[in-house]
Amino acid sequence: MKVTRKEVERIAALGRLELSEEQKREMEAHLSGMTEHFKMLDAVDTSSVPPTAHILDKVNVLRPDKAEPSFERDALLANAPERDGECYIVPRAVE
Amino acid sequence: MNNLLQMPLTEAVKAVKSKKVSAVELTRASLGRIAECKELNNFITVCAESALAAAAEADKKIALGGDPGPLAGVPVAVKDNISTKGIRTTCASKFLQNYVPPFDASVVTALRNAGASIVGKTNMDEFAMGSGSENSYFGAVKNFRERSRVAGGSSGGSANAVAACEVFAALGSDTGGSIRQPAAYCGVAGLKPTYSLVSRYGLIAFASSLDQIGPLGRTVRDCALMLDVLAFADPRDSTSVPRPQKTYSDFVPRVKGKRIGIAKEFFPDTLNADVRKRLNAAVAALEGAGAVVKETSIKSFNAALATYYVLSSAEAASNLARFDGIKYGYSDRSGDGLTDIYFKSRTGGFGDEVKRRIMTGNYVLSSGYYDAYYLKASKVRTLIKREYEDALRDCDALICPTAPSSAFKAGKKTSDHTQVYLEDVYTVPVNIAGLPALSVPCGTDGGGMPIGMQLIGKAFDEKNLFELAGAFEEITGGNADV
């Protein structure tokens, strides 16, 4: 299936990626090639097959509700691109 | 090279425990070898100081008559997508080039508790996406045996460092073959454990339903000893389970009476002649030693690669959404407002292959395509899992090549990146089905490059794989051609 330029732009925006013109061209070809390959799936009859999201059949694994020490604030903030004392700095999100 | 470095891990541990050599001496030798092999680009970060401290600690315990742990200060390496407290963990990405985790992955805690000396963090494909360790922000890994060839990927640095005797063993991660394929390309052993046998806490996620951490070593028993340390139920990973075996490293090599399944789909007419020849010889050698060879079939084999690339890309796109330039990692704040930080940081921080996977993943998950791709692939996954389980009902292991060829030329496949996806054809179904698989060397091709044999087992049947592969190793003497 041919993936169009418009779709490439839509998908890139969903992933918060900016693509150059050349990258968009490359991505059109790449996604078209991938979807072509994915046609292999159509050849498999799955009419009575349930999907598998996970190979384990576990559900709701719980652990004891016990308080444990958390991370040191400073250790976490050490990786912050921008910080102010005890907080991360981000641009204003609500006008 | 210091000859001490050529010992298997199991021997090195014994030598340290019996005071024939000190852990500090081994760690110094390892660090020296790493410096000597710098050109191979196996390491992104070397941590000499903390490694020597861990080794000294082991030596001290031994001197006082205490227990230095099962790894007794012996030097090992950790793939750079596994978190190490205080040691930067980059995923070979520009995005995380300065990221220093505030915690250890559970497997790293386990290695430290076992007394291991962690000498460094190994190079890989960015975010574990690739089959040649060429997609690294820190430059490509060069195969130790032939520098013009790749080391495989994505755990290329780990496999190559073990092959070059820079370390005695290493951790890798395997989402679609990333431990087994580089093991095959570098001529070492590598295990992808059953999904959930090894905790993923602290492994930077690629595709959570497929990812698994596992060991690489120069012998099968070295991998088993590592698994002894790595397998435990971890309250921090709700998918992890208690291990079914008390010890793995005490396995007894055994082949007599074991049933080996060969699916006809594993050996298409187009298969590389050298790979076919070596695999046939290996199976014949096992049969000669008493194994029973059975023909079987995995009908959905040809659909596995498409299934894998739909599911793994979808999971990757979701997992990598967390990299937003706010709390850690690359952050480009030159734009205007929050959304600009997201766009600019992700655009500037991720490499081309990572972007391709994010695009593919978001495409198959996007409105209008979900049923056709993601849901369909999830259903085919059920079939693949069933078919492997059915085939293994009558067999102790399935045997196939680990990869369709030996290590390919560096740069060859970077121009056609989908070509490189075909490298994973034998390894991805195992992740899709959640099964354990071990790659061991089974000789070399005409150019002297190693070829790997993959043994696939029932869920949690790692010990059986060790028995069989250990017996094969005895027959062939490790790397020798059969």
Side-chain angles (χ1 to χ4, degrees):
Chain A
M1 194 170 79
K2 177 88 181 75
V3 176
T4 63
R5 170 68 57 106
K6 208 176 147 201
E7 278 181 304
V8 165
E9 286 169 352
R10 182 174 71 96
I11 300 299
L14 286 175
R16 302 290 183 266
L17 294 171
E18 282 165 6
L19 301 178
S20 65
E21 282 307 304
E22 195 195 329
Q23 283 173 320
K24 284 181 193 170
R25 261 197 305 279
E26 198 234 354
M27 215 56 94
E28 273 177 56
H30 179 71
L31 290 178
S32 299
M34 292 302 280
T35 49
E36 190 60 37
H37 180 68
F38 293 160
K39 280 190 183 154
M40 300 282 288
L41 296 173
D42 298 336
V44 185
D45 178 11
T46 53
S47 47
S48 57
V49 183
T52 296
H54 211 277
I55 64 114
L56 300 171
D57 47 14
K58 288 176 153 191
V59 280
N60 294 348
V61 178
L62 303 175
R63 58 181 161 77
D65 184 15
K66 199 179 104 207
E68 280 181 41
S70 190
F71 290 109
E72 297 284 333
R73 183 187 289 257
D74 256 353
L76 295 181
L77 282 168
N79 280 301
E82 222 179 317
R83 61 183 283 194
D84 174 17
E86 297 191 317
C87 299
Y88 293 103
I89 292 188
V90 292
R92 180 189 294 275
V94 181
E95 294 301 326
Chain B
M1 179 184 10
N2 188 327
N3 287 340
L4 290 171
L5 292 172
Q6 289 170 314
M7 280 188 283
L9 170 69
T10 47
E11 294 303 314
V13 167
K14 275 184 212 155
V16 171
K17 284 186 175 172
S18 62
K19 300 185 194 169
K20 286 199 183 80
V21 60
S22 74
V24 166
E25 199 179 330
L26 282 187
T27 301
R28 283 217 177 94
S30 163
L31 292 166
R33 180 72 180 152
I34 290 170
E36 220 172 271
C37 297
K38 199 168 189 309
E39 198 198 327
L40 301 177
N41 209 12
N42 289 336
F43 285 84
I44 291 174
T45 305
V46 177
C47 21
E49 205 175 305
S50 56
L52 285 165
E57 180 65 27
D59 285 338
K60 196 171 130 195
K61 280 185 184 158
I62 292 165
L64 294 171
D67 180 8
L71 297 178
V74 172
V76 300
V78 174
K79 188 177 179 180
D80 210 22
N81 60 347
I82 301 174
S83 304
T84 40
K85 186 176 180 175
I87 303 166
R88 74 171 176 160
T89 299
T90 69
C91 269
S93 179
K94 181 182 175 188
F95 205 106
L96 293 176
Q97 65 168 318
N98 297 315
Y99 170 65
V100 181
F103 67 103
D104 273 333
S106 294
V107 291
V108 170
T109 307
L111 283 181
R112 294 193 202 278
N113 289 341
S117 149
I118 298 170
V119 290
K121 304 295 297 290
T122 55
N123 203 354
M124 54 185 279
D125 286 296
E126 184 180 2
F127 284 100
M129 296 167 184
S131 303
S133 294
E134 294 184 285
N135 304 331
S136 166
Y137 179 65
F138 300 89
V141 175
K142 294 176 185 153
N143 194 302
F144 158 66
R145 284 159 212 273
E146 169 62 60
R147 294 182 186 195
S148 64
R149 292 183 185 272
V150 301
S154 67
S155 311
S158 285
N160 211 32
V162 171
C165 297
E166 292 173 65
V167 287
F168 290 88
L171 295 190
S173 69
D174 191 315
T175 305
S178 282
I179 290 173
R180 293 160 285 158
Q181 186 256 21
Y185 279 12
C186 296
V188 299
L191 172 77
K192 185 212 89 81
T194 307
Y195 184 83
S196 78
L197 183 62
V198 175
S199 165
R200 289 177 295 110
Y201 178 76
L203 170 68
I204 297 176
F206 164 6
S208 308
S209 83
L210 304 164
D211 294 343
Q212 198 52 189
I213 293 171
L216 293 116
R218 288 190 293 276
T219 70
V220 172
R221 202 173 297 280
D222 287 356
C223 288
L225 177 60
M226 288 291 280
L227 191 63
D228 279 345
V229 173
L230 299 173
F232 53 87
D234 180 8
R236 290 194 164 93
D237 174 359
S238 60
T239 61
S240 81
V241 298
R243 72 203 217 187
Q245 294 283 342
K246 190 162 177 286
T247 0
Y248 290 95
S249 58
D250 62 353
F251 73 85
V252 180
R254 213 183 322 232
V255 61
K256 209 171 161 46
K258 289 221 197 264
R259 299 157 305 164
I260 291 167
I262 308 286
K264 49 182 183 288
E265 292 83 1
F266 293 162
F267 294 88
D269 293 340
T270 49
L271 181 63
N272 173 296
D274 283 329
V275 173
R276 180 190 301 278
K277 193 172 132 198
R278 287 300 165 209
L279 262 292
N280 284 343
V283 171
L286 287 168
E287 201 171 13
V292 181
V293 178
K294 302 176 136 206
E295 193 176 310
T296 177
S297 171
I298 306 281
K299 290 193 187 65
S300 55
F301 182 71
N302 289 326
L305 209 52
T307 307
Y308 173 78
Y309 276 96
V310 170
L311 298 178
S312 66
S313 303
E315 292 189 33
S318 308
N319 271 323
L320 269 60
R322 78 190 61 179
F323 297 104
D324 57 5
I326 300 296
K327 291 182 180 160
Y328 54 87
Y330 182 77
S331 184
D332 183 338
R333 304 201 167 204
S334 63
D336 184 23
L338 199 56
T339 311
D340 263 10
I341 296 185
Y342 299 155
F343 271 99
K344 288 187 181 300
S345 302
R346 292 168 64 80
T347 301
F350 291 141
D352 290 341
E353 182 60 23
V354 174
K355 286 176 186 163
R356 277 183 214 112
R357 307 279 181 122
I358 292 174
M359 290 290 290
T360 307
N362 280 332
Y363 182 82
V364 299
L365 289 174
S366 65
S367 168
Y369 296 115
Y370 177 86
D371 285 3
Y373 297 116
Y374 187 80
L375 187 63
K376 179 74 185 182
S378 302
K379 289 178 176 175
V380 179
R381 180 176 196 179
T382 308
L383 285 178
I384 293 169
K385 184 170 178 280
R386 274 187 202 161
E387 285 176 21
Y388 272 82
E389 284 168 355
D390 285 347
L392 282 159
R393 237 183 287 285
D394 299 325
C395 301
D396 295 296
L398 298 173
I399 286 186
C400 63
T402 305
S405 67
S406 63
F408 53 88
K409 285 269 186 199
K412 189 180 159 198
K413 298 195 178 177
T414 41
S415 49
D416 182 4
H417 37 263
T418 46
Q419 187 64 30
V420 90
Y421 294 175
L422 298 172
E423 285 300 303
D424 304 336
V425 66
Y426 290 107
T427 45
V428 296
V430 176
N431 300 73
I432 290 170
L435 300 172
L438 178 62
S439 177
V440 288
C442 70
T444 54
D445 66 5
M449 294 307 288
I451 288 169
M453 168 169 73
Q454 181 176 219
L455 301 97
I456 304 165
K458 296 181 181 74
F460 302 107
D461 208 14
E462 278 79 0
K463 199 154 183 177
N464 180 40
L465 294 182
F466 289 141
E467 289 171 5
L468 199 48
F472 180 71
E473 206 173 47
E474 281 184 351
I475 296 169
T476 60
N479 261 330
D481 284 356
V482 285

